[in-house]
């Protein structure tokens, strides 16, 4: 039951599209499904790490104002850096060679990209700390096994939803001309910078 609850809760969470989801779509369109799936694996690993930390009591540390401020402002800087890099990315030339070569060069780093991007988004750890902190405080899932099953359901929802996003990106990539790929890179970059500004604002008002 806890596993199913976690799956449903995670699916509802996934409907709130964030920078990671956009990055998965971008990577799948640019480099294909296999590269995007490696990125998803990195995202899921960080989510699991954050959930374990939340269950282990990291939420108490994040209640300290200056710690939360450092996490938010640091995440804002890193996300802005990702955004600038995305806006500077170029699509393939008319022959398609530049994009194919770029995809081959980027694919080995997809897992690390997923790791670093999720680590750079402090809202993830703040969110999971809040969820599991409230569950433990209210004893909604009083046993450790129940918490772990709930976390497992949330992770499964991440894999399923982002896997669907990757499949969608892979399906439409053949129909996008270079100028649309360039516009996609700029759009994702703008979204990253917008998220960064939101984080910065939150960090400065803690």
């Amino acid at each position: 039951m806890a596993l199913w609850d976690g799956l449903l809760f995670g699916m509802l969470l996934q409907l709130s599209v964030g920078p990671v989801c956009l990055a998965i779509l971008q990577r799948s369109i640019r480099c294909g499904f296999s590269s995007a799936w490696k990125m998803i694996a990195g995202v899921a690993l960080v989510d699991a790490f954050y959930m374990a930390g939340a269950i282990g009591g990291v939420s108490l540390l994040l209640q300290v104002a200056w710690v939360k401020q450092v996490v938010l402002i640091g995440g804002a800087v890193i996300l802005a850096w990702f955004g600038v890099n995305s806006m500077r990315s170029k699509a393939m030339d008319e022959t398609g060679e530049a994009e194919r070569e770029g995809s081959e060069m980027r694919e080995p780093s997809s897992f690390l990209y997923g790791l670093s991007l999720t680590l750079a988004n402090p809202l993830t750890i703040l969110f999971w700390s809040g969820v599991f902190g409230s569950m433990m405080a209210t004893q909604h899932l009083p046993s450790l096994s129940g918490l772990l099953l709930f976390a497992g359901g949330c992770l499964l929802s991440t894999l399923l939803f982002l896997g669907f996003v990757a499949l969608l990106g892979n399906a439409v990539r053949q129909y996008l001309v270079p100028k649309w790929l360039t516009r996609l890179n700029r759009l994702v970059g703008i979204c990253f910078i917008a998220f960064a500004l939101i984080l910065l604002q939150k960090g400065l008002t803690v």
Side-chain angles (χ1 to χ4, degrees):
M1 187 65 180
L3 179 67
W4 178 249
D5 288 342
L7 178 61
L8 291 179
F9 180 83
M11 280 298 181
L12 290 175
L13 173 65
Q14 300 300 330
L15 295 178
S16 175
V17 177
V20 172
C21 181
L22 291 174
I24 294 291
L25 180 64
Q26 179 193 37
R27 180 56 60 105
S28 181
I29 291 174
R30 289 179 62 85
C31 307
F33 178 79
S34 63
S35 182
W37 183 253
K38 292 175 185 177
M39 186 176 170
I40 293 170
V43 171
L45 182 60
V46 175
D47 273 350
F49 176 74
Y50 279 162
M51 290 179 195
I55 295 173
V58 172
S59 56
L60 297 176
L61 180 62
L62 291 174
Q63 291 177 8
V64 180
W66 71 267
V67 173
K68 186 175 181 180
Q69 187 174 48
V70 169
V71 170
L72 286 169
I73 294 177
V77 172
I78 298 174
L79 276 180
W81 180 77
F82 277 124
V84 171
N85 279 347
S86 179
M87 293 181 70
R88 294 174 60 187
S89 297
K90 296 180 180 179
M92 62 182 172
D93 57 21
E94 294 180 356
T95 65
E97 292 301 323
E99 175 64 14
R100 282 195 292 270
E101 292 175 2
S103 297
E104 292 172 359
M105 292 175 62
R106 283 189 299 272
E107 186 169 355
S109 66
S110 292
F111 179 75
L112 292 178
Y113 182 42
L115 280 176
S116 58
L117 182 59
T118 312
L119 284 170
N121 185 4
L123 292 181
T124 306
I125 180 60
L126 293 174
F127 175 80
W128 290 123
S129 295
V131 169
F132 287 97
S134 63
M135 282 186 172
M136 289 185 287
T138 60
Q139 294 189 336
H140 178 70
L141 291 172
S143 67
L144 178 60
S145 61
L147 288 171
L148 293 177
L149 284 172
F150 183 86
C154 291
L155 282 176
L156 182 59
S157 71
T158 297
L159 293 173
L160 290 175
F161 183 83
L162 293 182
F164 172 78
V165 171
L167 285 173
L168 178 64
N170 189 63
V172 303
R173 69 189 300 240
Q174 59 182 317
Y175 303 108
L176 296 180
V177 296
K179 68 176 182 178
W180 284 106
L181 290 173
T182 300
R183 290 173 182 175
L184 174 65
N185 293 338
R186 291 174 181 171
L187 175 61
V188 172
I190 290 171
C191 290
F192 278 16
I193 293 173
F195 279 112
L197 291 175
I198 293 173
L199 291 178
L200 181 61
Q201 187 272 332
K202 290 179 179 293
L204 294 176
T205 56
V206 169

